[in-house]
Amino acid sequence: MTVRVRFAPSPTGMFHVGGARSALQNWIFAKQHHGVFVLRIEDTDTARNRPEWTEGILSALDWLGISRGSYEGPLFQSAYAGEQAKAIRGLLDDGRAYYCTCTRDDVVERTGNKHAGYDGFCRDRGLTSGAIRFRTADEGTTTVVDVIRGEPTFENRLIEDFVIARGDGSAVFLLANVVDDITMGITHVIRAEEHLPNTPKQQMLWEALGQKPPVWAHVPVVVNEKRQKLSKRRDKVALEAYRDEGYLAAAMKNYLMLLGWAPSGDREIVPWDVIEREFRLEDVNPSPAFFDEKKLRAFNGEYIRALPLEEFIDACEPWLTTIPGYDRDVFARVAELAQTRIALLSEIVSNVDFLFVDRPTIDEAAWAKASKDAHILPAVIEAFERLSTWDATTLKDTLVAVGETHELKLGKAQAPVRVAVTGRSIGLPLFESLEVLGRERTLARLTALAA
């Protein structure tokens, strides 16, 4: 049997980091078993679907290394309406489903309980129109065999006759999902824990349609620091946002795979080929997984520092080319220094933009603090003008000497120099920066704030 897994996002918004984790887990599982990864776009929510969201899904997967052409699809749920209608008709003909015209208010009125489930009122009324409900068993249990969660068992009497089709005959998610999986030959369903409550219903549908259910694996919910499920309304969850801030795909992939799983040994930063080799569904922890953005940021910093220098320069260029006057050769002279100081690629701009602009934008708060020692600047300018050699060592020795004549240690002496030249109080090593900036531009900036 060929293993076939699917990743089935809806094109209704940005690409959720939890979805990205599920995609990676499915991708690895398929590769490990020489199987097939199917991308299915669940596009039946026509009111919310937008083509750009579908393209966003494809682009996000590309970024994660799940590239177009390496998987089956994208397939679209809307293309399977015929198979879904056929399944609905079969269930009706077999007596496993029936028409129902009850509203929620009807159920509440009959039961006197606004929280009551459907009471089966239309089960045997012989209606020929309305929504369509699946007839669940009145007794017994349904056991879901789950690779991660064992064998959770559900009492059938507690599962109401659930809707499988709307009044217009179109399948709802529960049925459409099952029919699509059957049609596509899906053998393993690896998805988020939030779908577990639906699983006994879907398993009933698989069996009612004469099919053996797939292997289930429900991965843990991803939560924030308050242990609340990540929400796009409250939390930063869009994969695109992290990508656009300058997170590396390799760091993101590594971190996402650690949400509920751990590689062998006392390590977390692991080469992708090791993750692909070691990951096992049965080793996934069912407990909620904390998405720690601070930890992800630290991961990213480690991955940035591990890049070969030329790759680091290439990775930074999408941000650097937004700076007027950017020069790759100039950046290359400070790239190694910058590489150790940033955790996000987007931070490169604030570290090096002063090298390319005509005049830096002065941080007023930084200057307010540094200007207390700005009286040193005329002497610094005079000393720098006399230098015959313009290099980092000579510049540092010169500023140390000037500082001593003004009874200022180097930290105090260099503060107004740094802000005048770079616009900020922190950044790359000062004297290496001055060397690259050059004598003329350095003196012009010092003079501008010494006046």
Side-chain angles (χ1 to χ4, degrees):
M1 177 187 69
T2 299
V3 166
R4 291 176 61 84
V5 300
R6 49 75 164 176
F7 176 59
S10 298
T12 56
M14 303 295 277
F15 195 64
H16 196 289
V17 290
R21 180 193 60 170
S22 293
L24 290 170
Q25 291 168 331
N26 277 279
W27 177 253
I28 291 176
F29 188 82
K31 289 189 70 175
Q32 288 176 339
H33 294 83
H34 307 288
V36 178
F37 176 98
V38 179
L39 174 62
R40 182 173 76 226
I41 305 297
E42 301 202 333
D43 62 338
T44 53
D45 186 350
T46 55
R48 298 173 60 207
N49 293 343
R50 287 160 51 183
E52 56 266 37
W53 294 135
T54 296
E55 177 57 33
I57 291 168
L58 300 179
S59 297
L61 291 176
D62 282 340
W63 186 67
L64 290 172
I66 304 176
S67 57
R68 303 175 212 211
S70 64
Y71 51 79
E72 187 175 306
L75 307 178
F76 292 86
Q77 188 173 68
S78 57
Y80 294 84
E83 285 79 3
Q84 295 160 13
K86 182 179 177 180
I88 293 168
R89 174 52 55 190
L91 293 171
L92 284 168
D93 291 344
D94 292 342
R96 300 304 306 272
Y98 60 91
Y99 289 101
C100 173
T101 57
C102 295
T103 65
R104 183 64 198 160
D105 289 342
D106 293 336
V107 176
V108 171
E109 184 177 351
R110 285 196 299 267
T111 63
N113 182 356
K114 65 179 180 180
H115 300 296
Y118 181 65
D119 58 358
F121 181 77
C122 289
R123 261 192 170 202
D124 301 307
R125 294 178 64 198
L127 300 177
T128 57
S129 65
I132 301 172
R133 291 182 180 272
F134 182 78
R135 189 188 299 268
T136 61
D138 295 323
E139 56 186 23
T141 59
T142 296
T143 298
V144 173
V145 179
D146 190 295
V147 175
I148 296 170
R149 299 177 184 279
E151 298 185 3
T153 298
F154 303 83
E155 291 188 58
N156 293 335
R157 65 181 181 83
L158 299 179
I159 301 175
E160 67 178 11
D161 289 357
F162 52 91
V163 174
I164 60 173
R166 304 174 184 88
D168 63 3
S170 61
V172 301
F173 169 79
L174 281 173
L175 181 69
N177 195 266
V178 169
V179 172
D180 295 350
D181 283 346
I182 291 173
T183 305
M184 297 174 188
I186 301 303
T187 61
H188 295 70
V189 173
I190 305 166
R191 60 185 182 181
E193 177 187 356
E194 64 192 63
H195 294 288
L196 183 59
N198 289 329
T199 305
K201 299 176 183 179
Q202 291 183 315
Q203 184 160 304
M204 290 177 182
L205 288 170
W206 274 80
E207 293 168 348
L209 292 169
Q211 301 293 323
K212 180 182 178 182
V215 176
W216 305 105
H218 289 89
V219 299
V221 64
V222 182
V223 298
N224 62 19
E225 59 187 5
K226 296 181 180 178
R227 298 306 187 266
Q228 301 166 320
K229 178 185 171 184
L230 283 187
S231 166
K232 64 182 179 181
R233 295 179 180 85
R234 179 185 57 238
D235 304 302
K236 181 179 167 184
V237 300
L239 187 74
E240 297 93 330
Y242 289 98
R243 178 191 62 195
D244 295 346
E245 281 186 11
Y247 282 87
L248 296 174
M252 178 62 76
K253 289 164 62 177
N254 186 164
Y255 182 72
L256 289 176
M257 288 302 296
L258 298 184
L259 298 177
W261 174 80
S264 62
D266 185 19
R267 55 183 178 166
E268 291 186 308
I269 295 180
V270 186
W272 185 248
D273 62 330
V274 174
I275 292 175
E276 285 191 336
R277 185 170 64 250
E278 292 191 359
F279 176 72
R280 296 291 182 275
L281 278 177
E282 57 268 26
D283 293 335
V284 173
N285 189 323
S287 300
F290 171 36
F291 187 90
D292 185 346
E293 190 176 344
K294 292 180 180 178
K295 186 173 183 178
L296 171 60
R297 180 186 172 89
F299 261 57
N300 202 61
E302 292 288 336
Y303 270 89
I304 285 176
R305 288 186 284 278
L307 287 174
L309 189 59
E310 283 300 312
E311 288 186 24
F312 171 69
I313 294 173
D314 289 342
C316 288
E317 288 224 304
W319 287 270
L320 293 173
T321 52
T322 65
I323 305 173
Y326 167 68
D327 185 316
R328 182 184 174 100
D329 291 336
V330 172
F331 175 60
R333 295 177 63 187
V334 298
E336 191 170 2
L337 298 172
Q339 188 173 9
T340 65
R341 284 167 169 76
I342 64 172
L344 303 177
L345 293 175
S346 59
E347 293 173 347
I348 195 63
V349 172
S350 63
N351 275 268
V352 303
D353 59 353
F354 72 93
L355 291 171
F356 309 106
V357 298
D358 291 335
R359 287 284 191 274
T361 300
I362 304 298
D363 183 309
E364 294 184 3
W367 180 245
K369 185 175 181 181
S371 62
K372 297 174 183 177
D373 297 307
H375 60 276
I376 197 176
L377 290 181
V380 173
I381 294 169
E382 182 180 352
F384 281 1
E385 286 177 332
R386 292 198 304 266
L387 292 178
S388 59
T389 302
W390 190 267
D391 60 69
T393 300
T394 302
L395 289 163
K396 179 179 179 180
D397 291 343
T398 301
L399 187 55
V400 168
V402 173
E404 288 176 349
T405 65
H406 288 76
E407 298 183 345
L408 292 176
K409 293 183 178 180
L410 181 59
K412 290 283 189 178
Q414 72 176 358
V417 175
R418 177 182 290 281
V419 177
V421 171
T422 72
R424 301 177 177 89
S425 59
I426 57 175
L428 301 185
L430 175 62
F431 302 105
E432 286 80 357
S433 299
L434 299 183
E435 179 180 334
V436 174
L437 187 65
R439 182 194 304 266
E440 182 179 344
R441 298 174 77 196
T442 297
L443 291 174
R445 295 180 186 190
L446 292 175
T447 301
L449 286 193

